Amino acid sequence: QVQLVESGGGLVQAGGSLRLSCAASGSVGLMGWYRQAPGKQRELVASISRSGSTDYVDSVKGRFTISRDNVKNTLYLQMNSLKPDDTATYYCNANSVFYVGQTYWGQGTQVTVSS
């Protein structure tokens, strides 16, 4: 079982920046950041493979950057030019490298962007 622990959320004004981190307790495969706003479905924000291939939802392209450190087993999300619509709880997700279909979730970190 791999544990995921997020950090870095907080309150920021529109146009500001935040950096989220997610520390995994072991090696993992594909990793991603999801977010869920009140009354909305959870959505995939960005994902990154072990080799560094990335993908983003259109609404964050050019503003968010996902990265990872495979030695430290840590995932990052640099969020710039934040908008009130980015307000949500952000969750780290990772796939097991050993068990097909096994996925892990962090506890979530709140990001609030004020206008």
Side-chain angles (χ1 to χ4, degrees):
Q1 187 77 5
V2 173
Q3 310 295 324
L4 302 177
V5 179
E6 300 111 331
S7 61
L11 173 64
V12 65
Q13 288 188 331
S17 298
L18 282 174
R19 189 192 196 205
L20 305 183
S21 299
C22 171
S25 60
S27 294
V28 290
L30 181 72
M31 301 187 79
W33 288 100
Y34 287 72
R35 66 186 179 186
Q36 187 167 22
K40 295 187 177 181
Q41 288 189 328
R42 189 173 297 191
E43 68 168 348
L44 176 62
V45 176
S47 63
I48 184 168
S49 68
R50 283 191 63 84
S51 63
S53 296
T54 60
D55 195 18
Y56 299 89
V57 68
D58 285 347
S59 60
V60 307
K61 286 180 179 178
R63 300 188 298 122
F64 291 10
T65 302
I66 190 171
S67 61
R68 65 189 289 172
D69 184 328
N70 291 331
V71 174
K72 296 181 179 179
N73 293 323
T74 302
L75 176 71
Y76 304 98
L77 185 68
Q78 178 66 42
M79 305 185 293
N80 299 327
S81 302
L82 282 161
K83 304 175 181 180
D85 283 350
D86 295 318
T87 296
T89 301
Y90 284 70
Y91 297 91
C92 176
N93 172 268
N95 290 347
S96 171
V97 292
F98 301 112
Y99 305 107
V100 176
Q102 176 70 59
T103 187
Y104 309 105
W105 290 94
Q107 80 285 357
T109 186
Q110 179 66 37
V111 172
T112 302
V113 184
S114 63
S115 58

